[in-house]
Amino acid sequence: MSAEQVHRTSHEVEVAAPAGVVYGIIADTGKWPLYFPPNVHVERLEGDERHERLRIWATANGTVKTWTSRRELDPGRRRIEFRQEIPAAPLTGMGGTWIVEELGATSTRLTLLHDFTVADDRAEDVEWVLRATDTNSESELGRLKTLAERWTQLDDLVLSFEDSTHVEGPAELVYDFLYRVGDWPERVPHVDRLDLVEETPGVQVMSMDTRTADGSVHTTESVRVCFPEAERIVYKQTATPALMAAHTGEWSIRRDGSGVTVTSQHSVVLRPENIERILGPDADVAAARRYVRQALGRNSGATLALAKQFAQAATPAR
């Protein structure tokens, strides 16, 4: 920690769920983008059951920040300490602790502590970080409480699936089609409108209107993180349709002997309180899973087919 003043914050929530469930959600950073609203993407760079190093992309006061962190996990005490290696500006240091306290068999207190410094202790920067820390911490604890208190049905509310297609064309052309999302209103029939901002190369913030099979239009907002060297694009919807509490996904390209295989992967958390309103009084979680699988698969399948057509049309016949 640098010589600037150390600022500290504390946020806590009581959760009607077992302490092990609460700790398990915090420990599983692979699901953070799906479970925690501010988190866009997490890459586990290295680690084991006790130590890990992460690259994190998350929103803070409406902007996308990225940093690397180290975490020390203590499942016995149900504590996790974290420290950013290279903090995102205006921070010069940031760390903290997750503390899970068992209050009863199905009652838990969760506390999230932060400490941070900013360069020269500038008042406007301190205020910015405090606002971001308060907003993100309250959002994370609120969503964690909701998820953990549905722990007996969480496996049914979360679904992941993927669709793939083989392309007889170069990976570069497929990636170009997926990356140039600003061109999708002209290239992808179910996209009516798309506004795109890419202030940092490879980090795309977008708002999109998509048309479903019944003719209705849904507006979503997303953040996409692009990895051209790995030929993959991950994304997080930051504004979702009413049936979904969260939606993350990935476009990936794998080269094979005669071309490439392109895969669209989706992960979703359903919003059970909206199922009957959206799908009718007889609908249940199983019906919602089928509906979301079909709707998302239909649109991503159409996009995969168009990416295939684009790449193969531009490839000279062999």
Side-chain angles (χ1 to χ4, degrees), residues 215-259:
S216 61
V217 175
H218 296 283
T219 299
T220 59
E221 297 175 3
S222 302
V223 177
R224 306 205 317 170
V225 182
C226 306
F227 301 93
E229 298 84 1
E231 295 170 337
R232 56 192 287 257
I233 298 171
V234 300
Y235 61 88
K236 161 78 171 278
Q237 282 193 349
T238 53
T240 57
L243 200 55
M244 296 185 287
H247 175 205
T248 64
E250 177 176 339
W251 302 95
S252 60
I253 302 169
R254 179 176 55 83
R255 299 169 186 254
D256 55 38
S258 59

Side-chain angles (χ1 to χ4, degrees), residues 184-203:
W184 281 12
E186 291 75 41
R187 292 177 168 179
V188 180
H190 65 261
V191 176
D192 284 358
R193 176 196 62 87
L194 195 147
D195 297 327
L196 177 68
V197 176
E198 189 171 351
E199 294 180 350
T200 301
V203 178

Side-chain angles (χ1 to χ4, degrees), residues 67-84:
W67 64 88
T68 57
S69 286
R70 289 192 178 273
R71 300 209 314 167
E72 304 291 329
L73 294 84
D74 187 340
R77 299 171 62 209
R78 297 196 182 103
R79 293 172 65 101
I80 300 174
E81 296 184 359
F82 57 90
R83 182 69 52 189
Q84 292 186 10

Side-chain angles (χ1 to χ4, degrees), residues 55-203:
R55 178 82 182 275
I56 299 172
W57 288 259
T59 57
N61 294 336
T63 63
V64 181
K65 299 286 187 178
T66 184
W67 64 88
T68 57
S69 286
R70 289 192 178 273
R71 300 209 314 167
E72 304 291 329
L73 294 84
D74 187 340
R77 299 171 62 209
R78 297 196 182 103
R79 293 172 65 101
I80 300 174
E81 296 184 359
F82 57 90
R83 182 69 52 189
Q84 292 186 10
E85 287 185 334
I86 306 175
L91 290 164
T92 56
M94 168 67 87
T97 308
W98 296 90
I99 303 171
V100 179
E101 299 176 82
E102 181 177 332
L103 303 179
T106 57
S107 181
T108 302
R109 178 184 295 113
L110 174 61
T111 303
L112 176 55
L113 305 177
H114 284 93
D115 60 76
F116 69 88
T117 59
V118 300
D120 302 321
D121 208 39
R122 290 184 294 266
E124 62 272 23
D125 289 341
V126 172
E127 189 279 331
W128 191 96
V129 176
L130 283 172
R131 180 157 45 92
T133 303
D134 287 343
T135 300
N136 285 9
S137 297
E138 291 170 4
S139 174
E140 290 170 352
L141 294 182
R143 180 61 60 82
L144 187 147
K145 175 180 171 69
T146 298
L147 291 171
E149 290 181 349
R150 291 172 173 164
W151 64 281
T152 58
Q153 61 176 149
L154 192 55
D155 286 345
D156 293 329
L157 296 177
V158 176
L159 67 151
S160 296
F161 60 91
E162 63 182 39
D163 298 296
S164 298
T165 189
H166 181 76
V167 179
E168 293 287 342
E172 293 81 3
L173 287 177
V174 177
Y175 182 85
D176 184 74
F177 182 93
L178 298 173
Y179 171 75
R180 295 184 184 276
V181 69
D183 296 336
W184 281 12
E186 291 75 41
R187 292 177 168 179
V188 180
H190 65 261
V191 176
D192 284 358
R193 176 196 62 87
L194 195 147
D195 297 327
L196 177 68
V197 176
E198 189 171 351
E199 294 180 350
T200 301
V203 178

Side-chain angles (χ1 to χ4, degrees), residues 45-57:
L45 304 178
E46 59 185 80
D48 52 32
E49 295 179 352
R50 294 292 186 137
H51 313 277
E52 61 183 359
R53 185 167 173 263
L54 308 169
R55 178 82 182 275
I56 299 172
W57 288 259

